[in-house]
Each structure stands twice: as C-alpha cells, then as structure tokens.
Amino acid sequence: MLHFIEQALTSFVASAAFGIIFNAPRRMLLHGGFVGMIGWIIYIVLEYAADAVPATLAATIAVGVISQIFSRMFRAPVIIFSVAGIIPLVPGGLAYNAMRSFVQNDYSAAMEMAAKALMLSGAIAVGLVLSEVLNQMIRRIPASLRTKSSSK
Amino acid sequence: MIGSNPTEQSRVIAICLLAGKIMLQSGGETYRVEDTMKRMAAALGLPHSHSYVVPTGIFFSVDATEPAKLIRISERTTDLDKVSEVNAVSRRIGQGELSAQEAHDLLVQIEGKPSSYSTAVQLTAAALSSGCFTIMFGGGWSDFLPALICGGIGYAAVIAFHQLVRVKFFAELTASFVIGILAFLLIYMGVGHERDKIIIGSVMPLVPGLLITNAVRDLMAGHLVSGLSKGAEAFLTAFAIGTGIAVVFSLFM
C-alpha cells in the first residue's frame, strides 16, 4: 500500500513538473499532474497482472479519455493534459537503455529493447487514437438520439 | 466578403501562416495545425484553403489564382501555453469575436511571449521530475537526492550548451555526458546506490519520449513525412544521450 502511495505521489509531481518544463498554463499544472498520476497507477497495477504493452494501452486510453473530458471542462486543448499524462508511460528509459547497449556493442540486447520501446510507443499512439474515436462516438450518440426523438 | 479583396486576402493568409508557425514551433500536432489554419481561413472568408504541414515547414494555398505560400520552421520546442493561446484565438475568430487586424495583433503578441516560468523554476522542475522518475522506475529513496542533483545540473547543461553552440545534438550529448560523470562521482562519494536508476531518472527530462509517440501517431494518421522526420529527430536525440552516457561508461569501467 505504501508502495502505491509513493508511486502515486512521485508520478503526480513528475507529471506536473513536466508541465512546467513544457510551459503549460499555470492553472493547468495540477490537472496535468492528476492525469499523469491516474495513468501511472493504472499502468503499475496492470503491469503486475499482464504485460507492459496492454498495461500501457489501457493506461493511455484512460489518460486520453480524462484529457478529452478535462479539455471540454476547462476549455483548453487536449494536448495540455495528454502530454503530462503520457510522460510517465513513455518508454524513455527503454529507449535510453537500447541506445546505450548499441553504443556498447551489445546489439542483440539493444535490438530487443528498441523493438520493445517501439511496441510501447505504438501502444501509446493506439491508445490516444482509440480514446479520440471513443470521444467522437460518445459525442455523436446523444446527438443522434436527440434528432430521432425530435423528429417523432 | 473579405476574401474577394486581394490585399485583405494576403493579410488573411499572413494571419493563418503566423498561427500555424507558432503552433508548429511550440509542438502542436501536425493535423491540428492543418485543421486550425483551415478553420481560421474559412472564418475570415477564405473557405477553400489547403494546408500541408510537415515538422520543418508549412505550405498554404487559398485558391488556384493565388500562389501557395511557404514558411520554413527550423526550431521546435514544446510550449503548451502558446498552443493553447493560438487555439483560443482560433476559436474566437470562428465565433466572429475577432477582426482580422485584432487577430493579427494578438498572434504577434503570443509569438513574442516569453515562457511563464523562470529558468530557475524550470530547472527545479527538471530536478524534481528526475528524482521522482528514479523512484517510479524502481529506485530507492536513497537514490532520490543524487538523481535530483544530476537531473537538475544535466538540464541546466543542455540549456547552457544549446545557447552556446546552437547544435541540439551536441548540447544533448554533452549534457548526458555531464549526467553520467556526476552519477559516477556521487556513487563514488557514497551518495546513492544504483547508478543505472539514477542515470535513467536524470536523463528523463532530455529523453525524446513525446517525439517518439507523436511520430508513431503521425504515421498512423497517414502523415508519413511528418512521422518519419519526427522519428528521425527523436532517434538523433536518443542517440546523443546514449552516446554521452556510453562515453562515461567506457571511461570509468
């Protein structure tokens, strides 16, 4: 339990701090930190049960959906929330490890890690696209229901 | 109608290009830049515009008689505040709240706007996030402080070297070299335990994670040129960081 509190706290601070590095609007920093924290918690919980790729996918979908909701609630572009939310999930450490192995002539380990980093990036991209599609579907359904009921 | 007057038309083109330029330089997504420019042009009376955006330039044309305009983009950073401000201007134009002149003035103002955080605050943020990443990637709390120090100094180094030489690759390589040396030094002095965890946390503010993801996303959306060039940029940065650290390893191990 302590481990989760520790992870939640650090991911919140790390995401909000990245908001500062990326010059996010001041009043959105805490929201960005919150989105990052939710994404990271979903990731570490699922990573226990399954592989890193599905865990990343699920976490990114959650980040995407929350970002879309926040974007409409606070009238700001989605990217402000999704960037902060995705930063903890991004396989930066893996990309770095892969590059280091390449430079140290350990090609098989490097290729393995590079492939995994690519898979994880793909999972993040798919998650973002999926959450966008979900958002469009949700937005369209009430509209079509409304037109149906008004035409009756 | 504004678009029928040639001088008005070129002014609208200039406004759209400026908006697109600010967004692209600040890290807005390719498709969103294209979309915003088209919407702004339509709202200002030019409904048949086309824009083609790649990370290094913007092509924009409004109709068959007017030649297409081009803007070259050479510096790209991430500045979410500017993306959000341009977005607000675009929305207000769409709602008819802003005239072309007002929009232009606002955009010029946004372009020259400095970062809302001082360098000291940014360095503190980079240092804090480095420390937090070390914990998130499985390091112990004894590695928090060394990662904080390495990350902060590493980020300061990348800013300083980039101002000095204007070559991003060199700045990143030297900064990661500095991080590596510091990590070795701190471990040698008995501060911190796991060298790898400290280094991974400290390089996170430099790592092009967002670029990698955006590259894959652009490729999926069919923006093939954007995706490949962003991928190349991300690869170069990762290569610079990996090399910087590897040099340290080969020196000390």
Side-chain angles (χ1 to χ4, degrees):
Chain A
M1 195 56 217
L2 195 68
H3 173 70
F4 277 105
I5 296 172
E6 178 184 291
Q7 292 288 315
L9 207 73
T10 47
S11 57
F12 182 87
V13 175
S15 305
F18 255 89
I20 294 178
I21 296 176
F22 289 158
N23 197 20
R26 214 169 279 250
R27 60 198 173 90
M28 299 293 172
L29 287 180
L30 292 183
H31 307 82
F34 177 75
V35 178
M37 184 179 81
I38 298 287
W40 183 248
I41 288 177
I42 293 176
Y43 172 79
I44 53 172
V45 168
L46 287 181
E47 207 205 359
Y48 273 120
D51 190 43
V53 175
T56 304
L57 181 66
T60 316
I61 293 178
V63 165
V65 169
I66 300 173
S67 302
Q68 306 268 3
I69 295 170
F70 275 13
S71 159
R72 219 152 335 135
M73 271 170 73
F74 302 109
R75 295 190 154 268
V78 182
I79 191 171
I80 287 182
F81 309 106
S82 60
V83 162
I86 278 161
I87 282 295
L89 304 171
V90 150
L94 257 179
Y96 150 78
N97 266 332
M99 251 6 260
R100 208 193 80 193
S101 305
F102 266 123
V103 187
Q104 289 182 324
N105 290 328
D106 190 356
Y107 295 115
S108 56
M111 280 312 288
E112 199 184 309
M113 284 189 276
K116 192 148 191 223
L118 198 70
M119 285 283 285
L120 290 176
S121 311
I124 295 178
V126 170
L128 282 178
V129 174
L130 266 180
S131 66
E132 220 159 278
V133 171
L134 269 176
N135 176 53
Q136 277 169 9
M137 273 166 59
I138 292 167
R139 224 192 290 182
R140 214 167 291 161
I141 291 167
S144 63
L145 282 181
R146 247 178 277 134
T147 47
K148 256 180 213 161
S149 56
S150 61
S151 61
K152 265 176 198 169
Chain B
M1 189 171 166
I2 297 168
S4 51
N5 182 338
T7 51
E8 274 299 317
Q9 188 169 321
S10 54
R11 187 152 78 170
V12 170
I13 296 172
I15 291 170
C16 293
L17 274 176
L18 183 59
K21 184 184 160 200
I22 299 172
M23 279 186 94
L24 196 58
Q25 278 180 337
S26 312
E29 304 107 300
T30 311
Y31 75 91
R32 207 178 290 276
V33 176
E34 287 184 355
D35 189 55
T36 305
M37 288 173 73
K38 273 197 83 142
R39 272 169 203 259
M40 284 177 70
L44 292 171
L46 297 170
H48 304 295
S49 66
H50 288 272
S51 68
Y52 176 67
V53 174
V54 286
T56 47
I58 299 175
F59 303 83
F60 187 63
S61 93
V62 284
D63 60 35
T65 53
E66 184 89 2
K69 291 278 196 312
L70 157 73
I71 277 193
R72 176 82 168 90
I73 308 284
S74 44
E75 279 289 303
R76 283 168 304 280
T77 51
T78 308
D79 189 330
L80 296 177
D81 191 36
K82 285 187 183 172
V83 175
S84 134
E85 297 258 316
V86 174
N87 201 59
V89 169
S90 150
R91 189 164 44 218
R92 283 173 66 193
I93 291 177
Q95 287 166 349
E97 287 176 19
L98 282 178
S99 72
Q101 186 58 48
E102 283 167 336
H104 183 258
D105 293 346
L106 267 176
L107 287 172
V108 170
Q109 206 181 324
I110 294 170
E111 195 189 17
K113 201 175 164 190
S115 169
S116 37
Y117 306 99
S118 65
T119 315
V121 173
Q122 284 184 23
L123 289 181
T124 314
L128 256 181
S129 71
S130 299
C132 288
F133 271 113
T134 298
I135 305 293
M136 285 158 73
F137 292 149
W141 282 101
S142 58
D143 294 328
F144 183 82
L145 192 68
L148 199 88
I149 297 168
C150 293
I153 295 181
Y155 196 70
V158 86
I159 294 176
F161 287 127
H162 193 238
Q163 269 168 1
L164 212 66
V165 280
R166 290 269 145 220
V167 182
K168 212 172 139 223
F169 183 84
F170 179 76
E172 283 154 350
L173 196 148
T174 332
S176 60
F177 181 74
V178 169
I179 289 175
I181 291 215
L182 267 176
F184 266 89
L185 215 67
L186 287 171
I187 296 268
Y188 181 75
M189 283 159 51
V191 190
H193 296 285
E194 289 175 273
R195 190 183 46 226
D196 265 344
K197 300 276 194 262
I198 296 174
I199 293 180
I200 290 184
S202 309
V203 294
M204 273 311 279
L206 312 178
V207 154
L210 191 68
L211 259 179
I212 300 175
T213 309
N214 271 341
V216 180
R217 204 174 164 207
D218 272 354
L219 284 176
M220 277 187 186
H223 291 272
L224 302 180
V225 179
S226 293
L228 288 180
S229 42
K230 274 183 195 167
E233 198 181 357
F235 173 79
L236 262 182
T237 304
F239 187 64
I241 297 172
T243 313
I245 298 292
V247 169
V248 177
F249 267 78
S250 57
L251 280 178
F252 290 95
M253 271 175 96

PDB file of all heavy atoms in Angstrom, chain B residues 118-140:
ATOM      1  N   SER B 118      10.342  31.069 -14.872  1.00  0.00           N
ATOM      2  CA  SER B 118      11.734  31.491 -14.948  1.00  0.00           C
ATOM      3  C   SER B 118      12.621  30.250 -15.104  1.00  0.00           C
ATOM      4  O   SER B 118      12.194  29.130 -14.845  1.00  0.00           O
ATOM      5  CB  SER B 118      12.114  32.239 -13.673  1.00  0.00           C
ATOM      6  OG  SER B 118      12.055  31.358 -12.576  1.00  0.00           O
ATOM      7  N   THR B 119      13.849  30.479 -15.547  1.00  0.00           N
ATOM      8  CA  THR B 119      14.768  29.363 -15.745  1.00  0.00           C
ATOM      9  C   THR B 119      14.976  28.594 -14.446  1.00  0.00           C
ATOM     10  O   THR B 119      15.060  27.369 -14.452  1.00  0.00           O
ATOM     11  CB  THR B 119      16.125  29.876 -16.255  1.00  0.00           C
ATOM     12  OG1 THR B 119      15.870  30.826 -17.285  1.00  0.00           O
ATOM     13  CG2 THR B 119      16.961  28.749 -16.826  1.00  0.00           C
ATOM     14  N   ALA B 120      15.035  29.331 -13.327  1.00  0.00           N
ATOM     15  CA  ALA B 120      15.241  28.670 -12.036  1.00  0.00           C
ATOM     16  C   ALA B 120      14.098  27.700 -11.732  1.00  0.00           C
ATOM     17  O   ALA B 120      14.327  26.567 -11.304  1.00  0.00           O
ATOM     18  CB  ALA B 120      15.356  29.712 -10.929  1.00  0.00           C
ATOM     19  N   VAL B 121      12.860  28.149 -12.016  1.00  0.00           N
ATOM     20  CA  VAL B 121      11.700  27.278 -11.771  1.00  0.00           C
ATOM     21  C   VAL B 121      11.763  26.056 -12.681  1.00  0.00           C
ATOM     22  O   VAL B 121      11.510  24.924 -12.259  1.00  0.00           O
ATOM     23  CB  VAL B 121      10.395  28.064 -11.997  1.00  0.00           C
ATOM     24  CG1 VAL B 121       9.195  27.136 -11.911  1.00  0.00           C
ATOM     25  CG2 VAL B 121      10.272  29.171 -10.976  1.00  0.00           C
ATOM     26  N   GLN B 122      12.147  26.276 -13.948  1.00  0.00           N
ATOM     27  CA  GLN B 122      12.240  25.153 -14.891  1.00  0.00           C
ATOM     28  C   GLN B 122      13.298  24.147 -14.449  1.00  0.00           C
ATOM     29  O   GLN B 122      13.088  22.933 -14.538  1.00  0.00           O
ATOM     30  CB  GLN B 122      12.573  25.661 -16.287  1.00  0.00           C
ATOM     31  CG  GLN B 122      11.384  26.281 -16.978  1.00  0.00           C
ATOM     32  CD  GLN B 122      11.703  26.687 -18.401  1.00  0.00           C
ATOM     33  OE1 GLN B 122      12.626  26.170 -19.012  1.00  0.00           O
ATOM     34  NE2 GLN B 122      10.952  27.623 -18.914  1.00  0.00           N
ATOM     35  N   LEU B 123      14.423  24.657 -13.968  1.00  0.00           N
ATOM     36  CA  LEU B 123      15.489  23.759 -13.502  1.00  0.00           C
ATOM     37  C   LEU B 123      15.019  22.962 -12.291  1.00  0.00           C
ATOM     38  O   LEU B 123      15.269  21.758 -12.191  1.00  0.00           O
ATOM     39  CB  LEU B 123      16.749  24.543 -13.158  1.00  0.00           C
ATOM     40  CG  LEU B 123      17.503  25.132 -14.342  1.00  0.00           C
ATOM     41  CD1 LEU B 123      18.751  25.859 -13.867  1.00  0.00           C
ATOM     42  CD2 LEU B 123      17.896  24.039 -15.313  1.00  0.00           C
ATOM     43  N   THR B 124      14.334  23.648 -11.380  1.00  0.00           N
ATOM     44  CA  THR B 124      13.800  22.953 -10.204  1.00  0.00           C
ATOM     45  C   THR B 124      12.839  21.857 -10.639  1.00  0.00           C
ATOM     46  O   THR B 124      12.870  20.733 -10.110  1.00  0.00           O
ATOM     47  CB  THR B 124      13.054  23.952  -9.294  1.00  0.00           C
ATOM     48  OG1 THR B 124      13.854  25.117  -9.146  1.00  0.00           O
ATOM     49  CG2 THR B 124      12.773  23.350  -7.950  1.00  0.00           C
ATOM     50  N   ALA B 125      11.975  22.184 -11.625  1.00  0.00           N
ATOM     51  CA  ALA B 125      11.009  21.190 -12.103  1.00  0.00           C
ATOM     52  C   ALA B 125      11.731  19.992 -12.707  1.00  0.00           C
ATOM     53  O   ALA B 125      11.369  18.839 -12.449  1.00  0.00           O
ATOM     54  CB  ALA B 125      10.086  21.822 -13.136  1.00  0.00           C
ATOM     55  N   ALA B 126      12.763  20.266 -13.518  1.00  0.00           N
ATOM     56  CA  ALA B 126      13.512  19.170 -14.136  1.00  0.00           C
ATOM     57  C   ALA B 126      14.168  18.307 -13.068  1.00  0.00           C
ATOM     58  O   ALA B 126      14.141  17.070 -13.135  1.00  0.00           O
ATOM     59  CB  ALA B 126      14.567  19.725 -15.091  1.00  0.00           C
ATOM     60  N   ALA B 127      14.747  18.961 -12.046  1.00  0.00           N
ATOM     61  CA  ALA B 127      15.410  18.225 -10.971  1.00  0.00           C
ATOM     62  C   ALA B 127      14.401  17.360 -10.223  1.00  0.00           C
ATOM     63  O   ALA B 127      14.623  16.166 -10.009  1.00  0.00           O
ATOM     64  CB  ALA B 127      16.080  19.207 -10.014  1.00  0.00           C
ATOM     65  N   LEU B 128      13.249  17.965  -9.880  1.00  0.00           N
ATOM     66  CA  LEU B 128      12.205  17.228  -9.154  1.00  0.00           C
ATOM     67  C   LEU B 128      11.720  16.030  -9.951  1.00  0.00           C
ATOM     68  O   LEU B 128      11.573  14.921  -9.424  1.00  0.00           O
ATOM     69  CB  LEU B 128      11.026  18.159  -8.892  1.00  0.00           C
ATOM     70  CG  LEU B 128      10.878  18.704  -7.483  1.00  0.00           C
ATOM     71  CD1 LEU B 128       9.643  19.583  -7.409  1.00  0.00           C
ATOM     72  CD2 LEU B 128      10.757  17.555  -6.490  1.00  0.00           C
ATOM     73  N   SER B 129      11.457  16.253 -11.251  1.00  0.00           N
ATOM     74  CA  SER B 129      10.930  15.153 -12.054  1.00  0.00           C
ATOM     75  C   SER B 129      11.979  14.045 -12.174  1.00  0.00           C
ATOM     76  O   SER B 129      11.631  12.864 -12.170  1.00  0.00           O
ATOM     77  CB  SER B 129      10.472  15.639 -13.424  1.00  0.00           C
ATOM     78  OG  SER B 129      11.554  15.976 -14.230  1.00  0.00           O
ATOM     79  N   SER B 130      13.263  14.410 -12.243  1.00  0.00           N
ATOM     80  CA  SER B 130      14.313  13.383 -12.302  1.00  0.00           C
ATOM     81  C   SER B 130      14.281  12.515 -11.058  1.00  0.00           C
ATOM     82  O   SER B 130      14.323  11.281 -11.143  1.00  0.00           O
ATOM     83  CB  SER B 130      15.695  14.030 -12.418  1.00  0.00           C
ATOM     84  OG  SER B 130      15.784  14.788 -13.575  1.00  0.00           O
ATOM     85  N   GLY B 131      14.200  13.168  -9.901  1.00  0.00           N
ATOM     86  CA  GLY B 131      14.140  12.420  -8.649  1.00  0.00           C
ATOM     87  C   GLY B 131      12.930  11.500  -8.608  1.00  0.00           C
ATOM     88  O   GLY B 131      13.027  10.323  -8.259  1.00  0.00           O
ATOM     89  N   CYS B 132      11.766  12.041  -9.027  1.00  0.00           N
ATOM     90  CA  CYS B 132      10.537  11.247  -8.998  1.00  0.00           C
ATOM     91  C   CYS B 132      10.613  10.068  -9.962  1.00  0.00           C
ATOM     92  O   CYS B 132      10.150   8.975  -9.648  1.00  0.00           O
ATOM     93  CB  CYS B 132       9.348  12.125  -9.350  1.00  0.00           C
ATOM     94  SG  CYS B 132       8.943  13.274  -8.037  1.00  0.00           S
ATOM     95  N   PHE B 133      11.196  10.286 -11.140  1.00  0.00           N
ATOM     96  CA  PHE B 133      11.299   9.195 -12.116  1.00  0.00           C
ATOM     97  C   PHE B 133      12.175   8.068 -11.598  1.00  0.00           C
ATOM     98  O   PHE B 133      11.910   6.899 -11.860  1.00  0.00           O
ATOM     99  CB  PHE B 133      11.821   9.707 -13.456  1.00  0.00           C
ATOM    100  CG  PHE B 133      10.734  10.179 -14.362  1.00  0.00           C
ATOM    101  CD1 PHE B 133      10.616  11.502 -14.706  1.00  0.00           C
ATOM    102  CD2 PHE B 133       9.802   9.271 -14.853  1.00  0.00           C
ATOM    103  CE1 PHE B 133       9.596  11.934 -15.524  1.00  0.00           C
ATOM    104  CE2 PHE B 133       8.783   9.694 -15.675  1.00  0.00           C
ATOM    105  CZ  PHE B 133       8.670  11.033 -16.004  1.00  0.00           C
ATOM    106  N   THR B 134      13.224   8.434 -10.861  1.00  0.00           N
ATOM    107  CA  THR B 134      14.081   7.400 -10.285  1.00  0.00           C
ATOM    108  C   THR B 134      13.273   6.497  -9.352  1.00  0.00           C
ATOM    109  O   THR B 134      13.399   5.270  -9.390  1.00  0.00           O
ATOM    110  CB  THR B 134      15.249   8.055  -9.524  1.00  0.00           C
ATOM    111  OG1 THR B 134      16.024   8.801 -10.462  1.00  0.00           O
ATOM    112  CG2 THR B 134      16.130   7.019  -8.867  1.00  0.00           C
ATOM    113  N   ILE B 135      12.387   7.095  -8.553  1.00  0.00           N
ATOM    114  CA  ILE B 135      11.529   6.288  -7.673  1.00  0.00           C
ATOM    115  C   ILE B 135      10.548   5.465  -8.504  1.00  0.00           C
ATOM    116  O   ILE B 135      10.331   4.272  -8.256  1.00  0.00           O
ATOM    117  CB  ILE B 135      10.732   7.205  -6.708  1.00  0.00           C
ATOM    118  CG1 ILE B 135      11.672   8.118  -5.924  1.00  0.00           C
ATOM    119  CG2 ILE B 135       9.859   6.381  -5.779  1.00  0.00           C
ATOM    120  CD1 ILE B 135      12.565   7.404  -4.957  1.00  0.00           C
ATOM    121  N   MET B 136       9.951   6.109  -9.530  1.00  0.00           N
ATOM    122  CA  MET B 136       8.959   5.401 -10.353  1.00  0.00           C
ATOM    123  C   MET B 136       9.566   4.223 -11.093  1.00  0.00           C
ATOM    124  O   MET B 136       8.889   3.219 -11.319  1.00  0.00           O
ATOM    125  CB  MET B 136       8.338   6.376 -11.363  1.00  0.00           C
ATOM    126  CG  MET B 136       7.347   7.327 -10.749  1.00  0.00           C
ATOM    127  SD  MET B 136       7.141   8.784 -11.770  1.00  0.00           S
ATOM    128  CE  MET B 136       6.199   8.121 -13.128  1.00  0.00           C
ATOM    129  N   PHE B 137      10.810   4.322 -11.476  1.00  0.00           N
ATOM    130  CA  PHE B 137      11.450   3.233 -12.210  1.00  0.00           C
ATOM    131  C   PHE B 137      12.101   2.229 -11.263  1.00  0.00           C
ATOM    132  O   PHE B 137      12.963   1.455 -11.669  1.00  0.00           O
ATOM    133  CB  PHE B 137      12.458   3.772 -13.224  1.00  0.00           C
ATOM    134  CG  PHE B 137      11.818   4.506 -14.356  1.00  0.00           C
ATOM    135  CD1 PHE B 137      12.462   5.552 -14.989  1.00  0.00           C
ATOM    136  CD2 PHE B 137      10.548   4.151 -14.799  1.00  0.00           C
ATOM    137  CE1 PHE B 137      11.851   6.235 -16.027  1.00  0.00           C
ATOM    138  CE2 PHE B 137       9.937   4.823 -15.837  1.00  0.00           C
ATOM    139  CZ  PHE B 137      10.596   5.866 -16.454  1.00  0.00           C
ATOM    140  N   GLY B 138      11.728   2.262  -9.989  1.00  0.00           N
ATOM    141  CA  GLY B 138      12.141   1.205  -9.076  1.00  0.00           C
ATOM    142  C   GLY B 138      13.376   1.511  -8.248  1.00  0.00           C
ATOM    143  O   GLY B 138      13.905   0.619  -7.600  1.00  0.00           O
ATOM    144  N   GLY B 139      13.830   2.756  -8.257  1.00  0.00           N
ATOM    145  CA  GLY B 139      14.963   3.110  -7.408  1.00  0.00           C
ATOM    146  C   GLY B 139      14.513   3.324  -5.970  1.00  0.00           C
ATOM    147  O   GLY B 139      13.325   3.516  -5.706  1.00  0.00           O
ATOM    148  N   GLY B 140      15.463   3.273  -5.043  1.00  0.00           N
ATOM    149  CA  GLY B 140      15.120   3.515  -3.644  1.00  0.00           C
ATOM    150  C   GLY B 140      15.195   5.000  -3.342  1.00  0.00           C
ATOM    151  O   GLY B 140      15.683   5.794  -4.151  1.00  0.00           O
TER     152      GLY B 140
END
